[in-house]
Amino acid sequence: MYVIKVLNKEYLERRDGEGIEEISPDEALAEAIENGLIVDARQIIGEGKEAFVCWGIDNLERLVAVKTYKLYKTTHRGVIHSTHRTNPYVMISQFAKLEYYKNLDLFQSKLPVPQPYKYAGFSYSMQLIGDEDGPAPLLRDLNKTFFRNPADILEQCIDILYEMFQAHYVHGDFSEHNLIWHEDQVFLIDFLQAKNFALKDAVTYGSPLIPISRAYRILRKDLNSILPFFKRQYRIEVDYNEVLDYILGEIKEKVHRELELNLETSS
Ligand SMILES: Nc1ncnc2c1ncn2[C@@H]1O[C@H](COP(=O)(O)OP(=O)(O)OP(=O)(O)O)[C@@H](O)[C@H]1O
Ligand SMILES: [Mg+2]
């Protein structure tokens, strides 16, 4: 039913000189069960290009969401420094681990994100945002009249961006597709592409931190995704630069210093 295609299979076969087995969601789920991430799988709730997510119950009877990576796709290349030649199975288990730790960092910084529980194999488990009936809806799934005061929801989104930036993180895919509405609160999910940034541009080669001016560009892109959504869906318009300034907060001077330095060096 859920067939996972490996787009660059031929390339990988040529490179590795061995066949690449596709993993079906059932097999991956069996692996997640074996690894103790989940004991009772209820339903697959999301299947995108890179991963699928299933919800169920774990051995502590918690409601869990388990995210399992699909085999290596070209879009993943370069996500992890110098992993281009890594075996695709190793690579997706790295993704599961990487996303787990980014999720953990944000959870420990008190952001409204699911609590991450465990990682193993190609999967990681986290708190299900939802209840016994399943996951709560994404912002994209709510209709135009759902909120009595949608400006409050936008405010929550901006506050998440602020808290995240102050924790030296940018999300990189901050949109109605990755925001869940649950118990009067917006929750953020999907962290593989999230980046931890340095407070300067000079980062050493191979550093896990990205330069601050790159983080600034990612933040601008995220704002350019969420603000138009609120305008389209709820007719709420806010001043882009004012919101950007607010999110930058105390870090604003550092960003501006680097941007000025970049200008000087390129002129
Ligand atoms: N902790 C969670 N609680 C509830 N639902 C979740 C949770 N994590 C993920 N989901 C659901 O699973 C879907 C896919 O998760 P996620 O966004 O992390 O993966 P993705 O690789 O971006 O997949 P897609 O391309 O389908 O968005 C989400 O859109 C959401 O509906
Ligand atoms: Mg997503």
Side-chain angles (χ1 to χ4, degrees), residues 2 25 47 71-72 95 98 111 176 201 203-204 212 220 225 251 263:
Y2 294 94
E47 191 183 1
L71 271 182
Y72 175 84
F95 290 148
L98 254 183
L111 269 117
E176 66 275 21
D201 271 2
V203 293
T204 46
I212 195 169
R220 293 188 62 126
S225 152
I251 302 175
L263 269 184

Side-chain angles (χ1 to χ4, degrees), residues 234-246:
Y234 303 111
R235 310 246 162 267
I236 296 176
E237 261 188 275
V238 285
D239 186 284
Y240 178 93
N241 288 318
E242 218 175 273
V243 174
L244 181 63
D245 256 24
Y246 170 75

Side-chain angles (χ1 to χ4, degrees), residues 45 48 53 65 67 114 126-129 135 138 178 180 189-190:
I45 49 179
V53 177
K67 182 165 180 176
M126 68 194 114
Q127 168 196 5
L128 177 83
I129 307 298
L138 293 163
N178 286 323
I180 300 182
I189 56 164
D190 204 354

Side-chain angles (χ1 to χ4, degrees), residues 70-102:
K70 296 180 177 182
L71 271 182
Y72 175 84
K73 300 265 177 65
T74 44
T75 53
H76 284 338
R77 287 162 77 185
V79 170
I80 306 174
H81 175 66
S82 70
T83 47
H84 299 74
R85 283 193 195 89
T86 309
N87 169 309
Y89 295 107
V90 175
M91 195 135 163
I92 56 171
S93 54
Q94 294 267 45
F95 290 148
K97 190 157 125 184
L98 254 183
E99 187 170 6
Y100 169 89
Y101 278 109
K102 289 178 186 186

